[in-house]
């Protein structure tokens, strides 16, 4: 069964304390991996798409990387405004729909 | 500005009643989706459509229905057959062949 697992479920950091969020997947065939940010009560906001192992994408304090089994979202020197739930999703070969992980709730304390 | 508009933002329904959630997009996207989000769970796909007058069931379609009469619109009806309808509902759209989906702001449905 195709599965996407994110860890940790929740993470609290101090402002400026860098860390990484993990998204591991066991799927029959990966066509792409996506990261979204979701603020409370809002819809997810698209961040990155990664298509092949070794690929990296960056946006401000965020950098996403992809291996054959997992993806990491690295956050460098985070600020309180980076607090949100980060969602990972995969697109399977031959499919048009995304399979989502359960998300990591990130809190950055000032 | 281009985007996806969901309405209403909050919706209350009595048990046994059907209710329709609106989703409109002006991004000229062919594909549209409905997801359900429950606390501590990932988004689960209810229905999706890649072209007008055609749609497919997702992973949790029971108790829901949709229509796609116009490219811009993809309303979702939550029927009385849905046993646990209280949830946050998200509509999304994408270009067919470009899988990045863009989401609306959601509708929170509460059954009272």
């Amino acid at each position: 069964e195709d599965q996407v697992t994110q860890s940790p479920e929740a993470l609290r950091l101090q402002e400026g304390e860098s860390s990484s969020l993990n998204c591991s997947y066991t799927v029959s065939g990966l066509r792409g991996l996506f990261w979204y940010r979701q603020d409370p009560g809002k819809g997810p906001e698209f961040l990155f798409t990664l298509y092949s192992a070794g690929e990296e994408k960056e946006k401000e304090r965020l950098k996403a990387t992809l291996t054959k089994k997992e993806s990491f979202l690295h956050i460098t020197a985070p600020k309180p405004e980076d607090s949100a739930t980060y969602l990972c999703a995969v697109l399977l070969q031959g499919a048009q729909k995304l399979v989502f992980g359960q998300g990591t709730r990130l809190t950055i304390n000032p | 500005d281009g985007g996806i508009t969901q309405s209403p933002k909050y919706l209350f329904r009595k048990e046994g009643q059907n209710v329709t959630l609106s989703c409109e997009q002006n991004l000229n996207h062919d594909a549209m989706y409905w997801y359900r989000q429950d606390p501590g769970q990932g988004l689960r796909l209810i229905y999706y459509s890649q072209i007008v007058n055609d749609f497919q069931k997702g992973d949790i379609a029971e108790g829901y229905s949709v229509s796609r009469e116009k490219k811009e619109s993809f309303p979702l009806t939550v029927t009385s057959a849905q046993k646990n309808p209280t949830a946050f509902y998200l509509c999304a759209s994408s270009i067919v062949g470009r899988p990045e989906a863009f989401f609306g702001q959601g509708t929170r449905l509460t059954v009272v």
Side-chain angles (χ1 to χ4, degrees):
Chain A
E1 182 185 347
D2 299 312
Q3 199 165 7
V4 179
T5 304
Q6 292 188 245
S7 62
E9 288 188 14
L11 181 62
R12 284 186 176 270
L13 300 172
Q14 290 299 121
E15 184 173 1
E17 181 185 1
S18 301
S19 188
S20 296
L21 313 181
N22 178 262
C23 172
S24 63
Y25 57 91
T26 51
V27 299
S28 50
L30 180 73
R31 193 169 135 204
L33 186 141
F34 304 81
W35 282 98
Y36 287 85
R37 169 192 170 127
Q38 186 177 26
D39 293 303
K42 301 284 183 67
E45 175 188 346
F46 171 74
L47 292 173
F48 303 110
T49 308
L50 301 166
Y51 289 104
S52 56
E55 189 174 359
E56 297 183 353
K57 294 275 181 72
E58 285 190 65
K59 180 180 180 179
E60 297 181 354
R61 294 175 292 282
L62 298 175
K63 183 168 82 172
T65 62
L66 180 65
T67 72
K68 288 185 178 180
K69 293 185 178 181
E70 59 192 348
S71 176
F72 292 95
L73 185 65
H74 307 277
I75 182 160
T76 303
K79 299 181 178 182
E81 54 262 41
D82 295 320
S83 297
T85 295
Y86 290 85
L87 301 171
C88 165
V90 299
L91 181 66
L92 307 177
Q93 291 287 355
Q96 179 67 21
K97 60 180 185 177
L98 296 173
V99 177
F100 281 83
Q102 78 278 27
T104 292
R105 189 173 64 254
L106 177 65
T107 304
I108 309 298
N109 296 316
Chain B
D1 286 339
I4 302 173
T5 302
Q6 290 187 242
S7 61
K9 187 173 175 65
Y10 299 97
L11 189 56
F12 296 88
R13 188 196 92 174
K14 292 184 179 179
E15 279 193 38
Q17 288 182 337
N18 293 353
V19 64
T20 298
L21 282 60
S22 171
C23 178
E24 304 276 334
Q25 55 99 359
N26 61 3
L27 298 168
N28 200 33
H29 287 171
D30 288 302
M32 297 187 74
Y33 312 81
W34 275 105
Y35 289 90
R36 170 182 172 137
Q37 188 174 33
D38 295 284
Q41 296 192 36
L43 278 65
R44 292 182 291 167
L45 183 65
I46 304 172
Y47 269 97
Y48 65 104
S49 167
Q50 295 183 260
I51 195 169
V52 173
N53 293 322
D54 189 43
F55 46 83
Q56 288 76 41
K57 292 183 179 180
D59 301 315
I60 55 165
E62 186 176 350
Y64 300 97
S65 66
V66 294
S67 63
R68 187 89 187 274
E69 297 177 1
K70 298 186 300 182
K71 185 176 183 178
E72 302 79 17
S73 178
F74 192 41
L76 173 74
T77 296
V78 184
T79 75
S80 57
Q82 169 50 234
K83 298 303 180 188
N84 186 22
T86 294
F88 190 48
Y89 290 87
L90 288 159
C91 178
S93 71
S94 72
I95 298 172
V96 174
R98 288 289 304 276
E100 297 87 353
F102 295 89
F103 285 82
Q105 291 303 293
T107 292
R108 187 166 299 280
L109 173 64
T110 303
V111 174
V112 295

